[in-house]
Amino acid sequence: MSQQNLKDEFSRLSGLRIGGIQSNWRSARREIDEMRPRKFNHYTISHLFDGQGVLYVNDQRYDLAPGDAVIMLPGITQDYFGYKHYYFEDAIGFSGALPDSLVEQGLLRAGKITLGLERCLLPVIQNALSTDRARQLNAHYALGVLLTEICRSQATSESASKIELLANDILNSPEKKRTIQDMARFCCLSEVQFRRVFKQKFKMSPKQYYDQIRINTAARMVEKTELPLSEIAARFNYADQFHFSRCFVQHFGYPPVDFRRRAKI
């Protein structure tokens, strides 16, 4: 089977067509941090394993250190380079139905990710350069697995950003009624994933965070105003004044009536 026919077969089986390959490539360094706009007509993963660099993409600038990787999409204006240092990279160019589908679904995006210090592209490159058909096919499947991991990493990063937005919204609008389902949906995560990622970031469950912000804000209102406790309870979506008082005691150790009285002393 000709090399072209092999590529066609691998593309059909894996949804990928591996193109340009660079291993242990040293890019020239620049002394000026300035973007020189360029576009690729294919997808590219560039893994920086030594040196330092800079990435410009989507009007954003990123510093690059060993372990970082650049994800480039066709037609995106970008530039990455070694800045005052050489940029040592392993890189793979590719195309195909798989990355097209991932981009269409919003799962694969141009930008910077962390792949770690292990040169994970190197086995893919070595297999892709082999004349052995089985090893070449393995390279295509391994690249597909790597793309899946990259999409998962990008999704986790995006979810973390959305969780930060959610946390700020809770801080600014603690009176807004929220359920775990609502918060998970806002962050585009399942409830299980949402609880796990939130707790990793804030060292408490989303309910604990929400309840803490809500009761502390309500306490300031108890202290600073003469509003009836029933009205404060309703404003912060407690079932009734008794429920509000019970939560207050659990958090502060004494009821809101005593809290207000002590504040006036």
Side-chain angles (χ1 to χ4, degrees):
M1 185 179 290
S2 69
Q3 190 65 25
Q4 183 60 47
N5 288 340
L6 274 177
K7 288 183 178 180
D8 291 341
E9 181 186 8
F10 295 153
S11 178
R12 178 181 61 80
L13 292 172
S14 66
L16 286 164
R17 182 186 292 268
I18 295 178
I21 294 174
Q22 293 177 333
S23 174
N24 203 33
W25 181 263
R26 188 187 76 176
S27 298
R29 65 184 183 187
R30 299 183 195 170
E31 297 301 321
I32 299 176
D33 182 359
E34 182 179 72
M35 181 180 184
R36 300 175 186 173
R38 54 178 174 160
K39 294 181 180 181
F40 294 166
N41 59 6
H42 53 268
Y43 299 91
T44 297
I45 302 173
S46 168
H47 187 198
L48 173 65
F49 63 85
D50 195 9
Q52 294 181 23
V54 170
L55 165 67
Y56 284 94
V57 63
N58 295 329
D59 299 321
Q60 296 287 326
R61 179 194 180 280
Y62 303 91
D63 290 315
L64 301 173
D68 291 334
V70 172
I71 310 299
M72 289 292 103
L73 309 184
I76 298 292
T77 300
Q78 53 76 37
D79 190 22
Y80 65 90
F81 52 90
Y83 175 50
K84 295 188 176 181
H85 297 268
Y86 288 110
Y87 181 106
F88 293 89
E89 66 175 322
D90 295 323
I92 296 180
F94 56 95
S95 58
L98 176 59
D100 288 347
S101 175
L102 294 174
V103 171
E104 185 177 342
Q105 296 175 63
L107 300 175
L108 182 63
R109 299 181 300 279
K112 165 189 167 181
I113 65 166
T114 299
L115 286 183
L117 294 176
E118 182 180 350
R119 295 174 65 181
C120 56
L121 292 185
L122 200 54
V124 181
I125 291 172
Q126 291 170 342
N127 283 333
L129 292 174
S130 171
T131 57
D132 181 78
R133 178 180 178 277
R135 289 186 63 184
Q136 290 184 24
L137 184 58
N138 179 270
H140 285 74
Y141 281 127
L143 179 57
V145 171
L146 180 60
L147 283 176
T148 302
E149 293 174 354
I150 288 171
C151 290
R152 187 179 296 116
S153 173
Q154 289 184 324
T156 300
S157 176
E158 183 179 8
S159 297
S161 297
K162 287 187 176 181
I163 283 177
E164 288 180 359
L165 289 175
L166 173 67
N168 286 331
D169 190 47
I170 291 173
L171 193 61
N172 294 324
S173 304
E175 73 286 352
K176 184 178 178 181
K177 188 175 183 179
R178 307 168 195 268
T179 65
I180 293 296
Q181 294 91 334
D182 293 334
M183 292 189 280
R185 192 179 303 115
F186 176 85
C187 297
C188 301
L189 294 170
S190 70
E191 292 180 36
V192 173
Q193 289 175 315
F194 170 63
R195 285 189 174 95
R196 177 176 55 79
V197 176
F198 194 100
K199 192 164 186 176
Q200 284 177 344
K201 186 166 186 64
F202 291 98
K203 311 306 179 187
M204 66 178 72
S205 73
K207 184 179 186 305
Q208 288 172 327
Y209 180 88
Y210 171 53
D211 286 346
Q212 187 176 101
I213 298 297
R214 185 170 58 146
I215 197 68
N216 284 334
T217 309
R220 285 197 296 272
M221 191 169 288
V222 170
E223 179 186 8
K224 301 295 184 183
T225 75
E226 294 297 329
L227 288 173
L229 297 181
S230 59
E231 184 175 334
I232 295 175
R235 181 171 297 190
F236 288 92
N237 291 293
Y238 291 96
D240 50 36
Q241 183 176 333
F242 175 75
H243 179 222
F244 173 53
S245 295
R246 181 159 52 85
C247 293
F248 203 99
V249 171
Q250 288 175 348
H251 190 75
F252 293 103
Y254 44 86
V257 172
D258 292 348
F259 186 84
R260 176 172 277 174
R261 187 182 301 117
R262 293 184 183 195
K264 293 179 179 179
I265 298 175

